[in-house]
Amino acid sequence: MKLFRIGMVVLVIGISFLITTHLRARVLDTGTIGNYLGFFGPFLFEPRETTLVLREAEPPQNLTVAIVSQNSWNPERTIREADTALLLVGLSQADAVVFKIGTRGLYWVLVMTETGELTGDTELSVEQKGLSEDLLWFSYTLIIVGITILIFQRLRGLKHS
Amino acid sequence: MTGKFRELIAWELEENWDFPVLELILAITIIQVLSLVTLARDDADLLANISRPLWSSMVFVFAISAAVVFGRSFGESIERRKLVVLLSYPVSRVQVFVAKFLSNFLATLCLFGSALFVEGILLYMFKPNVYWLMFGDTWIMEVGNAPFIWGLMFFTLLLVVFFASSLMTFLSLMVKRFGLSVLIFLIYLFGMEYWAGAVGNRVPQAYLSLSLGPESIVRYLTAWYVNTFTENYMGTGALTVGFFLTGFCYLLMGGLVFLLASLILSQRIDLD
């Protein structure tokens, strides 16, 4: 009976997480944000579909967008010190890129020129939509573990009877 | 703790939290708590983005959980004469009452407390740079002070659960019926929510709400902490000491009065 309760609780937590993952799938949009520094954030990027739109940049062509972890860089440090999680090269003003960050965490978005300098007047927007993969896998894992415990308990019960 | 008392608590937990009560409350709590967190915002504010939505969305969960758990424990056990059977054993009414109330209260508190704890973990795992943007652009707190605010939220949670538990226990013992006590309890709580929500937040009775009351307790005590122990200043806006005391005393004194009344009632109640 105890094993049945443990299995049920794990299963219910897994299903609840799955429902929550779907509830959290709503679109999160920063709207248009801009500054004269060329870097933005830090943003919490979840492992789900992220769209970045370069609305305006100075200079407008041959732009590189780097997504760097907050732990590896802060605005007081030089760009060379940054540990880049994702590098998008050859972009122009008004380009939109869709990417997915592998690990949930806080990231800066750096917009650079071809010489590696941060751009001047820059405007962009970031949008996240879809399901978070980590939460999805976590809920699947819990559901499988819960079902396995319940099956094991059932088989054990059949064996004893 | 005597062996008899421990056995009573174990029996109560096994009997009252059986399938699917625990699972249902767990599911509602997880869905409510985790779906409201807006962690992706760059300007997360612990009081406005976490505390306020938590209390407003959790009123429903507190109400349903207290109604089911305490209604079953007291109302249903009188209705189905389980209490009579239990009292045929060499245990006093006080022991039964305390064991029932304590076990259910602590179990409920653990459940909601763990949800709040998980939310805190998620926040600090994924949003370690949370700050408190209160008025205009003034950053008034450092991230190192967050545990104090989180502690306040736990303390307020304790008050809310205590109040809801005591009220539902009292109603269950009063009417001796599970369904009727749940109905009265929910009408009272949601009626109060509606009434308190309709009067605006500049009158004391607004703080009798289970969403605005706890939120104001956390906010007022945070301001007190900031102004007393740090070099920063935090105003409380429309929230005065009178409003804070209204919310605080309603939960604490209301809970104590209902608990005491329940204890007296449990001694004098006719179970036949």
Side-chain angles (χ1 to χ4, degrees), chain A residues 13 18 20 29 41 45 50 55 60 64 66 70 104 128 132-133 136 139 146 157-158 161:
Chain A
I13 293 175
L18 189 63
T20 308
D29 189 0
F45 283 147
T50 309
R55 299 199 178 275
T64 300
Q70 193 210 24
R104 176 188 292 266
Q128 286 188 291
S132 295
E133 280 178 4
L136 205 58
S139 50
L158 285 174
S161 61

Side-chain angles (χ1 to χ4, degrees), chain A residues 5 8 24 42 44 104 106, chain B residues 17 19 23 34 42 126 128:
Chain A
R5 285 310 298 278
M8 277 311 289
R24 290 171 70 103
L44 175 85
R104 176 188 292 266
L106 287 160
Chain B
W17 290 81
F19 181 77
E23 285 79 358
L34 290 184
D42 192 35
F126 304 131

Side-chain angles (χ1 to χ4, degrees), chain B residues 62-77:
Chain B
F62 293 142
I64 298 292
S65 307
V68 171
V69 171
F70 289 87
R72 267 166 59 98
S73 179
F74 291 95
E76 200 180 67
S77 61

Side-chain angles (χ1 to χ4, degrees), chain B residues 75-224:
Chain B
E76 200 180 67
S77 61
I78 295 172
E79 209 174 347
R80 297 195 174 181
R81 302 184 61 79
K82 284 180 193 169
L83 209 57
V84 177
V85 176
L86 197 62
L87 286 170
S88 65
Y89 289 94
V91 285
S92 68
R93 285 192 177 202
V94 177
Q95 273 181 320
V96 172
F97 176 82
V98 174
K100 272 178 168 290
F101 185 84
L102 205 62
S103 54
N104 290 318
F105 173 69
L106 291 178
T108 315
L109 194 65
C110 281
L111 197 66
F112 295 141
S114 54
L116 194 59
F117 185 65
V118 168
E119 201 191 328
I121 289 174
L122 283 176
L123 185 73
Y124 293 108
M125 264 173 76
F126 304 131
K127 191 73 185 169
N129 66 337
V130 69
Y131 59 85
W132 292 269
L133 191 69
M134 290 298 162
F135 301 104
D137 293 328
T138 315
W139 291 26
I140 61 158
M141 292 188 76
E142 297 297 326
V143 71
N145 295 321
F148 179 80
I149 301 183
W150 219 256
L152 277 180
M153 286 173 74
F154 274 104
F155 170 69
T156 313
L157 181 74
L158 187 139
L159 283 179
V160 175
V161 173
F162 176 62
F163 174 79
S165 310
S166 302
L167 176 61
M168 187 59 207
T169 304
F170 174 74
L171 290 174
S172 301
L173 289 171
M174 191 80 179
V175 299
K176 300 185 203 170
R177 295 281 181 275
F178 172 61
L180 187 60
S181 59
V182 168
L183 190 67
I184 297 172
F185 177 73
L186 293 181
I187 287 174
Y188 173 76
L189 276 194
F190 290 118
M192 282 294 280
E193 285 305 303
Y194 177 77
W195 176 66
V199 293
N201 66 348
R202 291 183 184 273
V203 283
Q205 53 267 40
Y207 296 84
L208 301 179
S209 143
L210 279 195
S211 53
L212 192 60
E215 188 207 326
S216 68
I217 293 171
V218 176
R219 182 174 280 270
Y220 190 86
L221 292 178
T222 302
W224 167 79

